[in-house]
Amino acid sequence: MSSDAVAIVAERRWAIVVGFIIASLIAIMVFTGVHWAAMPPSRVETVDPRTLHVSGEFVEGNLGTSVAADGKVVTRLVAQQYSFHPQCLLVPAGVPVTFRGTSTDVIHGFNVAGTNANAMLVPGFVATFTTTFRNPGEHVMPCHEYCGTGHEGMWARVKVIPLDEFRSKAGSGERLSCVPR
Ligand code: CUA
């Protein structure tokens, strides 16, 4: 083979490699662009972490699960080093449940094992997440954002109960949780 022919073969090989890299980068950009567009960002809602305990939506008496006037199920929680309040969330199966949460101190997060419920809890912001639990059962809900020395001990539970049972408990209008009293 002449040296020209060798050079042409080598150049073609490099052209293929570079073409493949460019095509991969474009594919990644298209995928992430479409993926982000398909995932609506959380609404940006702010809350004052200094007055969380004394006034507003996240006072202790309002934490836990409630049924709004329009029938929507909302569960409210607060994260702080190193626990969630309430420690056990009681929710119904088969209907959408909206989580509303925030943090009093540093960035925490939660995910409900075995489900797609997953959010970050950032002080000053309200995280919202809506999901439907298909079946009754219990899930662990660990903090998944490193938040200090007690991080690995920070977790709560989510107890999913049948809808009828939930409705009969929710009748009184009080905030429900499965924290033993
Ligand atoms: Cu809270 Cu990690």
Side-chain angles (χ1 to χ4, degrees):
M1 216 190 273
S2 73
S3 65
D4 272 4
V6 170
I8 286 167
V9 168
E11 289 215 8
R12 187 168 297 142
R13 194 179 298 140
W14 278 112
I16 291 168
V17 169
V18 170
F20 177 75
I21 291 169
I22 292 170
S24 306
L25 292 174
I26 291 171
I28 290 167
M29 282 191 285
V30 169
F31 175 78
T32 51
V34 169
H35 184 65
W36 281 29
M39 302 257 291
S42 308
R43 286 171 302 146
V44 177
E45 255 186 272
T46 57
V47 65
D48 187 347
R50 289 165 304 180
T51 58
L52 220 52
H53 296 298
V54 287
S55 65
E57 183 182 347
F58 293 97
V59 293
E60 194 176 0
N62 202 35
L63 300 179
T65 310
S66 63
V67 182
D70 58 3
K72 289 206 174 94
V73 180
V74 179
T75 187
R76 292 185 177 82
L77 70 151
V78 166
Q80 63 178 40
Q81 287 167 319
Y82 297 100
S83 58
F84 291 101
H85 304 275
Q87 272 292 302
C88 184
L89 299 169
L90 189 70
V91 297
V95 292
V97 175
T98 298
F99 286 76
R100 289 178 60 80
T102 189
S103 163
T104 62
D105 41 35
V106 300
I107 297 176
H108 301 276
F110 69 86
N111 71 65
V112 183
T115 75
N116 68 338
N118 187 330
M120 277 174 77
L121 299 170
V122 181
F125 294 89
V126 180
T128 63
F129 190 92
T130 302
T131 191
T132 302
F133 297 96
R134 295 279 157 222
N135 300 305
E138 279 210 19
H139 302 269
V140 290
M141 190 183 100
C143 175
H144 66 42
E145 215 51 70
Y146 183 75
C147 52
T149 51
H151 164 71
E152 70 276 7
M154 182 171 173
W155 59 281
R157 283 180 302 136
V158 175
K159 190 173 178 190
V160 186
I161 61 173
L163 186 56
D164 312 346
E165 192 184 333
F166 180 84
R167 284 224 175 95
S168 67
K169 281 182 197 278
S172 63
E174 67 174 304
R175 304 294 176 248
L176 299 172
S177 79
C178 38
V179 175
R181 335 183 168 208

